[in-house]
Amino acid sequence: MAPPAVKYTQIFINNEFVDSVSGKKFATVNPTTGKKTAEVQEGDKADINKAIKAAQDAFKLGSPWRRMDATGRAALMNKLANLIERDVEYLRDLEIMDNGMTVQLATGSVMGCISFLRYGAGYADKLHGKTIPLDGDYFCYSRYEPVGVVGAIIPWNFPCLLMGAKLTCCLTVGNCVVVKPAEQTPLTALHIASLVKEAGFPPGVINIVPGYGPTAGAGLTESMDVDMVTFTGSTEVGRIIQRAGADSNLKKVHLELGGKSPNVVFADCDMDYAVETSHIGIFNHSGQICCAGTRTFVHEDIYDEFVKKSKARALKRKVGDPTCEGTEGGPQIDQEQLDKVLELIESGKSEGATLQCGGKRLGTEGFFVESTVFSDVQDHMRIAKEEIFGPVQQILKFKTVEEVTERANKTTYGLAGAVFTKDINKALTVANTIRAGLIWVNNYGMFSPMIPFGGYKMSGVGREGGEDGFKEYCEIKTVVIKVPEKNT
Ligand code: ADP
């Protein structure tokens, strides 16, 4: 398949495409080939400040955006969703070229962006406050108000989907936003910028500034004029962002971070289904999913058979050119991730886990890793503790429900988890005991804009998605009105 022509490479501020203040550009690379695909204007603090100013102006009282009813916002969001749908194939191909994800995943990423926008459009006029039966002669009500200017920092693993999620949360409740796409994957965001203009959003409501984290990203997190930052990415960077919020204006910070999710498989499960679903739960997107089921705990009675079948499945996995029909897994995003995954695989071998299959780089072009399965994994090993973000399955053995829930929770992360069993009691015990934001029972990875998603512990702060997700992007105002003495 011929790579798509890149149309937009400039910074988007106030509905205009502009060059960076510094005149600098950076290259995007196709992870499938390792070759350069485009040169994008590199936003820096100066560009971020211009974008913040545009967003502040768009948020001013009396501005077209602030005067717009929720119904009007919803109409614009639906229009944007329709335009993205019109360009779905082009956006899909850009996403594949930028990120290396398969056709199926890239379609899902773009369709997910559309679903988020439509879900938010349906919710925009349903953001109800409360009336509060306050003691005394008062009438009291609360209302949800937009926080103001939101800085949205996007990771590279699902660029379109995650920008869609953050844009939706911002727009549904009436915020203005400055988006900083990941430096590896800015292209779909910039095409969507052109659609923002075409849809007719007022200038400054949505601004998109590509650039690097420590410069452009930090420009948002350290700003005194940004009211909230929403970030999806690594726990390490999440910590920097929360600190930057504290050191500047104590802005609201929403963080969706890393994970090391447990996937508990009991002996009474449907074995072939559990093997297949656990395989997808870790190998999907070459393991580059924050809620991947990277610790597969399997009951001792079925352990050997489960390992055998998981190895056979991994050996069958088709890894290669993501544009080809039938390819199940593409490359890692870049050289740095490739090196990190290979280093962790080496640590698994040297710490005594049994390498069932894989373990090496695949080919010499692009950033591919063989589908890798480790058995006899112990809780103390690095591969059982650290987020690998690669196609590497760890299979651990357990005996009892009490033991496995305790071990599943022995992690600094708490993003997701799963359990496979036909016994409702076991399912509920595990679901209720694991300290994580999303638990799947007899499935792995079901997502929807309707689901509040986010982490316990060091997997994050706050939720995105569902009604709770929208409220995260609001301030709650309470109004107390003195009324005449009660006579009823
Ligand atoms: P990953 O580990 O998944 O590559 P990162 O957490 O490094 O992800 O990056 C996710 C996003 O955070 C990217 O858009 C990146 O540019 C941005 N980022 C990285 N470092 C910083 C920082 N110091 N401040 C703000 N944003 C950052």
Side-chain angles (χ1 to χ4, degrees):
M1 194 172 80
V6 178
K7 294 186 224 165
Y8 300 98
T9 56
Q10 287 176 293
I11 295 170
F12 184 73
I13 297 175
N14 254 331
N15 279 6
E16 299 298 337
F17 282 101
V18 294
D19 284 344
S20 62
V21 172
S22 68
K24 283 194 283 186
K25 295 178 190 174
F26 67 100
T28 53
V29 170
N30 182 344
T32 304
T33 60
K35 301 215 166 75
K36 185 170 117 178
T37 49
E39 291 227 308
V40 173
Q41 292 293 323
E42 183 185 329
D44 221 321
K45 279 193 187 157
D47 309 278
I48 286 286
N49 286 339
K50 275 170 65 183
I52 293 170
K53 171 78 173 61
Q56 278 185 313
D57 288 348
F59 193 72
K60 274 195 180 133
L61 278 183
S63 68
W65 182 243
R66 293 302 293 279
R67 287 166 55 85
M68 197 178 287
D69 294 328
T71 315
R73 287 204 305 275
L76 280 177
M77 291 171 72
N78 274 321
K79 213 162 163 191
L80 180 59
N82 292 345
L83 292 171
I84 295 174
E85 194 167 39
R86 181 195 70 191
D87 292 353
V88 65
E89 286 176 6
Y90 175 69
L91 281 161
R92 175 200 66 196
D93 293 347
L94 270 188
E95 192 90 321
I96 296 172
M97 185 172 79
D98 235 6
N99 171 280
M101 62 173 67
T102 60
V103 175
Q104 192 195 8
L105 279 174
T107 307
S109 181
V110 183
M111 293 309 291
C113 172
I114 296 168
S115 308
F116 258 104
L117 283 164
R118 290 191 175 139
Y119 178 66
Y123 187 79
D125 59 1
K126 296 167 190 68
L127 191 62
H128 299 161
K130 290 182 177 152
T131 55
I132 297 159
L134 201 61
D135 287 352
D137 300 324
Y138 300 100
F139 172 59
C140 179
Y141 66 92
S142 64
R143 52 189 242 125
Y144 288 92
E145 296 188 351
V147 291
V149 174
V150 180
I153 301 176
I154 318 288
W156 49 261
N157 63 339
F158 283 98
C160 218
L161 170 71
L162 295 175
M163 183 168 95
K166 294 194 188 302
L167 272 187
T168 298
C169 291
C170 289
L171 301 173
T172 301
V173 303
N175 292 304
C176 294
V177 57
V178 178
V179 177
K180 211 268 325 144
E183 54 274 28
Q184 297 90 341
T185 55
L187 299 181
T188 45
L190 295 178
H191 184 73
I192 290 175
S194 75
L195 305 182
V196 164
K197 187 170 179 171
E198 190 177 342
F201 277 89
V205 172
I206 301 170
N207 309 277
I208 302 182
V209 184
Y212 290 97
T215 48
L220 287 171
T221 61
E222 292 168 6
S223 170
M224 294 299 286
D225 296 318
V226 168
D227 302 288
M228 169 174 174
V229 163
T230 171
F231 167 78
T232 299
S234 60
T235 294
E236 190 191 354
V237 173
R239 202 192 280 281
I240 296 173
I241 286 176
Q242 201 170 43
R243 199 177 296 132
D247 287 343
S248 53
N249 59 347
L250 278 174
K251 57 180 66 65
K252 220 174 167 172
V253 176
H254 164 260
L255 303 172
E256 199 265 274
L257 308 173
K260 194 73 192 174
S261 299
N263 174 17
V264 181
V265 183
F266 284 98
D268 66 353
C269 70
D270 174 337
M271 168 78 103
D272 288 338
Y273 173 77
V275 167
E276 177 64 20
T277 314
S278 303
H279 172 86
I280 302 293
I282 167 69
F283 287 94
N284 200 17
H285 200 3
S286 304
Q288 302 174 116
I289 300 185
C290 46
C291 55
T294 47
R295 290 183 295 149
T296 317
F297 287 98
V298 179
H299 192 267
E300 60 179 2
D301 290 354
I302 58 164
Y303 187 82
D304 291 343
E305 197 185 347
F306 191 95
V307 169
K308 203 167 120 207
K309 287 183 179 234
S310 298
K311 173 183 175 177
R313 178 63 182 91
L315 284 171
K316 263 196 350 208
R317 184 167 189 79
K318 282 197 186 145
V319 179
D321 182 348
T323 61
C324 291
E325 238 5 91
T327 296
E328 293 179 279
Q332 310 312 121
I333 188 72
D334 56 19
Q335 185 71 46
E336 193 183 329
Q337 284 294 321
L338 172 69
D339 293 344
K340 183 184 153 198
V341 172
L342 293 176
E343 193 271 322
L344 274 159
I345 290 174
E346 285 309 311
S347 82
K349 288 198 267 180
S350 63
E351 286 189 306
T354 306
L355 180 69
Q356 292 285 340
C357 61
K360 293 194 295 296
R361 181 176 184 181
L362 191 62
T364 49
E365 197 184 62
F367 312 117
F368 293 88
V369 176
E370 290 177 341
S371 302
T372 301
V373 176
F374 277 111
S375 62
D376 306 313
V377 177
Q378 307 297 322
D379 296 348
H380 68 268
M381 295 177 179
R382 282 182 64 205
I383 54 169
K385 291 197 295 197
E386 294 178 31
E387 189 175 42
I388 301 175
F389 237 56
V392 189
Q393 182 173 27
Q394 283 62 240
I395 312 184
L396 305 94
K397 194 187 281 185
F398 76 91
K399 276 190 207 301
T400 68
V401 179
E402 295 70 32
E403 171 211 332
V404 77
T405 48
E406 194 190 321
R407 289 172 61 199
N409 279 329
K410 260 199 189 148
T411 166
T412 52
Y413 293 113
L415 194 54
V419 50
F420 287 82
T421 175
K422 292 188 185 125
D423 180 341
I424 186 73
N425 293 325
K426 282 194 194 118
L428 287 177
T429 302
V430 174
N432 293 343
T433 317
I434 291 182
R435 300 196 61 227
L438 177 54
I439 306 291
W440 291 291
V441 177
N442 291 329
N443 74 100
Y444 206 102
M446 167 58 196
F447 269 110
S448 155
M450 300 173 204
I451 291 177
F453 180 61
Y456 284 35
K457 301 192 269 181
M458 283 168 67
S459 285
V461 177
R463 296 292 177 270
E464 211 158 53
E467 194 174 5
D468 301 289
F470 295 129
K471 292 183 174 168
E472 202 81 42
Y473 286 66
C474 294
E475 292 285 7
I476 300 176
K477 178 176 284 174
T478 310
V479 180
V480 180
I481 304 169
K482 182 89 177 93
V483 295
E485 232 171 80
K486 274 187 190 143
N487 54 13
T488 57

